[in-house]
Amino acid sequence: MSSFRSDSSGAAEAVANIEDLLTQILVSVPLRSLARFKCISTHWRSLISDLHTVKNPKISTFFPSKFQDESYESIPLGNSQIPSCWNPLKILNNSIPDGSELRILQSCNGLLLCLCVTTKERRHDVVYVFNPTTNQFRAISSPRVRENMSLSAFTHYALAFDPCKSPHYKVICVSNFFYCYDRGHHQIDIYSSETGEWKHLDTPFFPSPLHFNRIREGAVYCNGAVHWMRNVGGNLSFSDARNEFIRHETDVLHYFDIGQERLGLVSATPPIPLVVRNIPLKDSGKSPTEWPTFDQRYFGESGGHLYLIETYKHCKTQFDVMEMERDYSGWFVKYHVDLNPLFTALPSSNDSVILCLSQEKEKHNEEDSSADLLLHMPGKVISYNLRNKTFKTSVVESANEKLFFDIDSRFFCSEVVMYPYMESLACVGR
């Protein structure tokens, strides 16, 4: 028996020393286990750290931007090993002052950007870049300290991280300070994890008509830039002269190009959704038979493209999926979606929350892609294929039914946003 154990131990040691074979084995290991394996030896730590170029993790769960006390309910996907009651922010909660509020601002390629707000009279905020897979986090103090507390200001943060391009990340801070007789100006600072320092851009101030004070939560990183969407969903009016609905606002999308260090905005408005254009007119033709009440908005990235979805209460089951041109020239309708057949097949569900749009390139056609819309319903997550109009159902723990109804009732009152999360071995430091 002792000889068998010795031979087994020797064989295991031999496998561990064959780097190519060991790499193939480690690639199939879940990332949360790999994070623990990095403690075995310096060699393993180095080997596992290089696996970010091999691993291609997919979305495993969704986190709400806000939560109550210690209660934190997530939405795991069917293939996820993460339980719905897992609280990824527990380690952060134990590190912040008592009475502070902690919420998620953004999810970017496996890293979470979180904000800690101490009091209403705070002089500065603290943001955290957090990796729930490794439980590592880095606290970053705001570059803007409010020396004059009579000064009115707002600050928006965004995280830029692409592990395929660099192991380092950047945090962008856009601030606007309003003085008594001044409309205010924007100031931009960039934090680099490589240098551990903030950099203030030596560029002219940006004028306040960019309306950053009306930005909704949830910046989106895409193609080397971070994007913010203004919270103007459903801001429609009816034109008697044109006998149709029109949008009030023009500048609804803002972006910051990381490489060029340039702030810009998209002046093109999204097209009027088909369900709004199809509202019949009264006999006189000067007014619609009903007014479209805004329901929810999804803004996100998939396959290197930005997508926008707006739904309206009078017809929640039908909506347009809009895609932004890569040159920011405008939005166009990519898909018209009709979920009525889905709700007919699932009569127990009569409402849904849009989680994300996910698309993958086809194996035989790199120019084409298959897009799935992920929807959350009480007790289940639906994957709806936008091309062939088929769907798959994943059962979610019943505890998440409460989360669904909380989101549905507060979705646009307190801006509860669902953030997609994927496991990552990215190092954020401390």
Side-chain angles (χ1 to χ4, degrees), residues 270-298:
I272 301 297
L274 184 62
V275 294
V276 175
R277 290 189 279 117
N278 285 343
I279 293 178
L281 303 180
K282 294 181 179 179
D283 295 337
S284 61
K286 296 297 183 180
S287 62
T289 56
E290 62 180 320
W291 194 265
T293 303
F294 188 63
D295 181 44
Q296 63 173 290
R297 162 181 280 172
Y298 165 78

Side-chain angles (χ1 to χ4, degrees), residues 121-290:
E121 293 76 24
R122 66 187 186 279
R123 298 182 69 87
H124 68 279
D125 299 325
V126 176
V127 293
Y128 293 86
V129 178
F130 176 47
N131 186 337
T133 305
T134 62
N135 282 335
Q136 287 185 325
F137 64 89
R138 175 176 289 183
I140 306 172
S141 295
S142 168
R144 297 291 162 199
V145 178
R146 305 177 193 180
E147 297 178 356
N148 184 354
M149 294 312 297
S150 64
L151 187 67
S152 176
F154 67 82
T155 303
H156 292 286
Y157 296 94
L159 176 64
F161 174 59
D162 187 348
C164 295
K165 295 181 179 180
S166 172
H168 306 290
Y169 58 84
K170 292 185 178 180
V171 176
I172 293 82
C173 175
V174 180
S175 304
N176 192 315
F177 295 83
F178 296 92
Y179 298 88
C180 295
Y181 303 102
D182 186 8
R183 298 182 66 186
H185 294 86
H186 290 89
Q187 301 180 68
I188 299 180
D189 298 87
I190 305 176
Y191 175 87
S192 170
S193 65
E194 186 174 13
T195 63
E197 298 178 350
W198 286 98
K199 170 187 175 182
H200 177 64
L201 295 188
D202 294 325
T203 57
F205 287 146
F206 298 93
S208 59
L210 288 175
H211 299 300
F212 252 87
N213 59 323
R214 297 178 65 186
I215 293 295
R216 73 189 293 267
E217 287 190 3
V220 175
Y221 176 74
C222 179
N223 296 329
V226 289
H227 305 79
W228 295 270
M229 175 65 69
R230 288 186 63 193
N231 195 17
V232 293
N235 196 11
L236 306 174
S237 65
F238 188 81
S239 171
D240 293 338
R242 296 165 55 181
N243 290 339
E244 63 181 7
F245 285 94
I246 59 175
R247 290 187 186 267
H248 286 284
E249 305 290 343
T250 55
D251 53 332
V252 296
L253 177 65
H254 309 268
Y255 65 93
F256 180 77
D257 189 292
I258 307 297
Q260 298 182 13
E261 296 186 343
R262 178 177 61 88
L263 186 68
L265 70 136
V266 178
S267 58
T269 59
I272 301 297
L274 184 62
V275 294
V276 175
R277 290 189 279 117
N278 285 343
I279 293 178
L281 303 180
K282 294 181 179 179
D283 295 337
S284 61
K286 296 297 183 180
S287 62
T289 56
E290 62 180 320

Side-chain angles (χ1 to χ4, degrees), residues 372-402:
D372 291 321
L373 191 66
L374 297 184
L375 307 168
H376 183 218
M377 300 178 181
K380 61 178 71 72
V381 171
I382 307 297
S383 177
Y384 181 82
N385 189 279
L386 295 173
R387 178 188 296 172
N388 57 35
K389 297 178 175 53
T390 59
F391 66 91
K392 299 178 182 178
T393 302
S394 298
V395 177
V396 182
E397 293 183 17
S398 58
N400 284 294
E401 292 188 19
K402 179 180 183 298

Side-chain angles (χ1 to χ4, degrees), residues 32 43 69 84 110 138 160 174 193 229 253 282 315 318 342 358 398 413:
R32 291 173 64 83
H43 176 223
D69 302 322
S84 62
R138 175 176 289 183
V174 180
S193 65
M229 175 65 69
L253 177 65
K282 294 181 179 179
C315 190
Q318 297 179 20
L342 170 62
S358 174
S398 58
C413 295

Side-chain angles (χ1 to χ4, degrees), residues 350 376 378 400-410:
N350 55 14
H376 183 218
N400 284 294
E401 292 188 19
K402 179 180 183 298
L403 172 63
F404 174 86
F405 290 115
D406 284 346
I407 294 172
D408 187 52
S409 62
R410 300 179 299 167

